């Protein structure tokens, strides 16, 4: 069974994907980490994430990098959003993601284009979203929890910029697959969202 979970930044898709993986006993891949790994590698090499050649040169990163805590930073998220707009980078990362999705027994993958590009054959597809304001508040709380002092308005601005970049790019833009179920978590706590996600998956399998 393949479960695809897509949606914008801080929508709750990562938490929901992890909970689904636990519930069904499936391996989980947060595909954002792959783009973050490329973004961080470009920055560490002194390159420019907006430059397709610099970004493509870093697509062969080692698996070990995926557990580097620096991948969680806002800087890595911004760099990921830039490198992910290059079609060459997306092409270089497709294979890893499809191999993960197609392993025997199935998998849960979360990202932006899982239901549309990586695993259009997924058995269940969720498009998880929430208003930009709610997502900014969640992200702001998360950053504060990490001891980072950021302004809510700055976080909201960043979320809006990322939404715009992810939705307007020509290569695999963020969009809901025609056969995906929409889950708007704006008014839900995480437990409710997870229960709702399980119910939606159950209805599809
Ligand atoms: O989900 P996360 O915030 O870790 O993703 C970082 C960036 O990577 C996103 O803003 C998006 O531009 C890109 N991404 C993507 N396709 C995916 C996962 C992430 O383009 N499947």
């Amino acid at each position: 069974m393949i479960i695809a979970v897509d949606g914008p930044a801080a929508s709750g898709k990562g938490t929901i994907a992890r909970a689904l993986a636990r519930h069904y006993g499936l391996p989980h891949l947060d595909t954002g980490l792959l783009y973050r790994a490329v973004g961080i590698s470009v920055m560490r090499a002194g390159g420019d994430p907006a430059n397709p050649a610099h970004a493509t040169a870093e697509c062969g990163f080692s698996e070990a990098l995926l557990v580097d805590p620096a991948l969680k930073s806002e800087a890595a998220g911004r760099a990921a959003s830039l490198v992910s707009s290059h079609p060459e980078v997306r092409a270089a990362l497709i294979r890893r993601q499809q191999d993960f999705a197609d392993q025997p027994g199935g998998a849960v993958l979360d990202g932006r284009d899982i239901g549309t590009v990586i695993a259009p054959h997924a058995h269940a597809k969720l498009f998880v979203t929430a208003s930009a304001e709610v997502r900014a508040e969640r992200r702001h709380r998360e950053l504060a929890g990490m001891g980072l002092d950021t302004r809510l308005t700055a976080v909201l601005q960043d979320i809006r910029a990322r939404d715009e970049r992810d939705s307007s790019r020509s290569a695999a833009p963020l969009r809901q697959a025609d056969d995906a179920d929409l889950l708007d978590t704006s008014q839900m706590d995480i437990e409710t969202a997870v229960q709702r996600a399980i119910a939606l998956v159950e209805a599809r399998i």
Side-chain angles (χ1 to χ4, degrees), residues 6-10 13 30-33 35-36 71 76-85 90 97 110-114 118 162 165-166 169 171-172:
D6 290 304
K13 67 177 187 310
D30 167 0
T31 63
L33 287 180
Y35 295 94
R36 287 170 181 263
L71 295 190
R78 263 193 301 276
S81 177
L82 290 168
V83 301
S84 72
S85 67
R90 306 202 70 85
Q97 298 172 80
D110 75 82
R112 303 291 190 288
D113 63 340
I114 309 303
I118 302 298
R162 255 215 280 163
R165 252 201 313 273
D166 291 351
R169 68 179 176 221

Side-chain angles (χ1 to χ4, degrees), residues 134-165:
V134 166
R135 290 186 286 125
E137 275 166 27
R138 287 179 187 160
R139 189 75 189 122
H140 185 249
R141 254 198 316 272
E142 203 173 277
L143 291 170
M146 286 158 49
L148 295 171
D149 182 25
T150 44
R151 283 179 30 245
L152 180 58
T153 47
V155 178
L156 179 58
Q157 214 169 41
D158 198 56
I159 288 232
R160 288 210 166 111
R162 255 215 280 163
D163 282 359
E164 171 61 23
R165 252 201 313 273

Side-chain angles (χ1 to χ4, degrees), residues 41-199:
S41 301
V42 173
M43 292 195 302
R44 285 180 179 164
D48 174 9
N51 181 316
H54 292 184
T56 312
E58 304 298 336
C59 287
F61 59 86
S62 97
E63 297 284 320
L65 181 56
L66 297 181
V67 295
D68 188 327
L71 295 190
K72 300 281 179 203
S73 70
E74 289 296 276
R78 263 193 301 276
S81 177
L82 290 168
V83 301
S84 72
S85 67
H86 308 312
E88 308 89 318
V89 169
R90 306 202 70 85
L93 298 180
I94 273 193
R95 183 64 186 278
R96 279 188 210 227
Q97 298 172 80
Q98 289 185 334
D99 284 350
F100 192 91
D102 292 332
Q103 62 189 295
V108 180
L109 287 85
D110 75 82
R112 303 291 190 288
D113 63 340
I114 309 303
T116 51
V117 175
I118 302 298
H121 54 303
H123 303 87
K125 301 181 184 181
L126 299 180
F127 191 82
V128 182
T129 188
S131 71
E133 289 75 13
V134 166
R135 290 186 286 125
E137 275 166 27
R138 287 179 187 160
R139 189 75 189 122
H140 185 249
R141 254 198 316 272
E142 203 173 277
L143 291 170
M146 286 158 49
L148 295 171
D149 182 25
T150 44
R151 283 179 30 245
L152 180 58
T153 47
V155 178
L156 179 58
Q157 214 169 41
D158 198 56
I159 288 232
R160 288 210 166 111
R162 255 215 280 163
D163 282 359
E164 171 61 23
R165 252 201 313 273
D166 291 351
S167 314
S168 63
R169 68 179 176 221
S170 51
L174 171 68
R175 70 167 184 85
Q176 182 179 350
D178 295 337
D179 53 351
D181 291 308
L182 179 67
L183 179 55
D184 186 331
T185 66
S186 301
Q187 311 289 332
M188 294 178 190
D189 58 24
I190 193 61
E191 289 78 19
T192 311
V194 167
Q195 287 316 312
R196 185 80 194 113
I198 292 173

